[in-house]
Amino acid sequence: MSKVSYYTAEGLKKLRDELNHLKDVERPKASQAIAEARDKGDLSENAEYDAAKEAQGMLEMKISKMEETLANARVIDESQLDTSKVLALSIVKIKNQTNGMEMTYTLVAESEADLKTGKISVNSPIGKGLLGKSVGDVAEIQVPNGIMKFDIIEISR
């Protein structure tokens, strides 16, 4: 049984575009590389041919995994989400109790996570620790060097 994963409309489009690129651009390149290596003669001692075949196999595996992910992908309807507690796609403003630093994160699916843009995975330690919390709650999150405590200041979409 496959795992259902949730995406924003933007994240799902990005995934589809990447899959189309692999199928329409990378797959023909792999076939061409195999054909060129085959034209060089004896296949039993042709390392270039073996490498091209292996690269094609890896590409096909990647395409297969992406197709499975897309088949089990669901788009989250942001208008139906509750803003009283932290859920996927929530924008959460938190304050570290230790150093007083405030941070704002958007909780997204694992494949859309990008710390540089403030998007963290709901499967990350901080993401898991924030899920289900409300404004005013304290999230105690287990990190490698102990427990960090964050005050939930604001939740929005």
Side-chain angles (χ1 to χ4, degrees), residues 3 5-7 108-114 120-124:
K3 190 174 105 180
S5 41
Y6 295 94
Y7 292 87
V108 295
E110 199 165 335
S111 61
E112 294 181 60
D114 180 13
I120 61 170
S121 168
V122 292
N123 296 330
S124 68

Side-chain angles (χ1 to χ4, degrees), residues 124-148:
S124 68
I126 292 177
K128 284 180 182 177
L130 294 175
L131 285 175
K133 299 285 190 261
S134 301
V135 173
D137 287 355
V138 175
E140 293 186 7
I141 299 166
Q142 181 70 47
V143 292
N145 64 347
I147 292 179
M148 295 180 73

Side-chain angles (χ1 to χ4, degrees), residues 9-151:
E10 172 191 337
L12 193 60
K13 181 187 180 317
K14 191 173 163 187
L15 191 65
R16 280 194 179 113
D17 290 346
E18 185 179 348
L19 178 61
N20 289 336
H21 174 77
L22 290 175
K23 284 180 166 180
D24 299 340
V25 178
E26 298 300 323
R27 188 181 267 167
K29 276 186 192 175
S31 296
Q32 182 65 31
I34 290 172
E36 287 173 8
R38 193 178 318 125
D39 291 343
K40 293 187 178 168
D42 185 11
L43 297 182
S44 64
E45 295 179 13
N46 191 336
E48 194 175 326
Y49 177 78
D50 292 339
K53 285 295 280 181
E54 189 167 323
Q56 181 189 37
M58 297 296 279
L59 177 67
E60 291 302 325
M61 188 173 71
K62 187 173 181 181
I63 288 172
S64 176
K65 281 191 182 289
M66 287 184 79
E67 285 174 335
E68 183 181 335
T69 300
L70 268 172
N72 296 305
R74 303 289 180 267
V75 176
I76 298 174
D77 182 3
E78 294 180 56
S79 65
Q80 302 296 315
L81 296 177
D82 180 8
T83 55
S84 67
K85 59 185 172 210
V86 179
L87 303 168
L89 296 185
S90 292
I91 299 169
V92 186
K93 187 173 186 180
I94 57 176
K95 182 178 181 179
N96 187 328
Q97 287 185 350
T98 308
N99 61 16
M101 212 171 124
E102 289 187 5
M103 296 156 281
T104 302
Y105 293 121
T106 304
L107 272 68
V108 295
E110 199 165 335
S111 61
E112 294 181 60
D114 180 13
L115 195 56
K116 285 181 268 184
T117 59
K119 294 180 179 180
I120 61 170
S121 168
V122 292
N123 296 330
S124 68
I126 292 177
K128 284 180 182 177
L130 294 175
L131 285 175
K133 299 285 190 261
S134 301
V135 173
D137 287 355
V138 175
E140 293 186 7
I141 299 166
Q142 181 70 47
V143 292
N145 64 347
I147 292 179
M148 295 180 73
K149 293 183 181 183
F150 295 101
D151 294 321

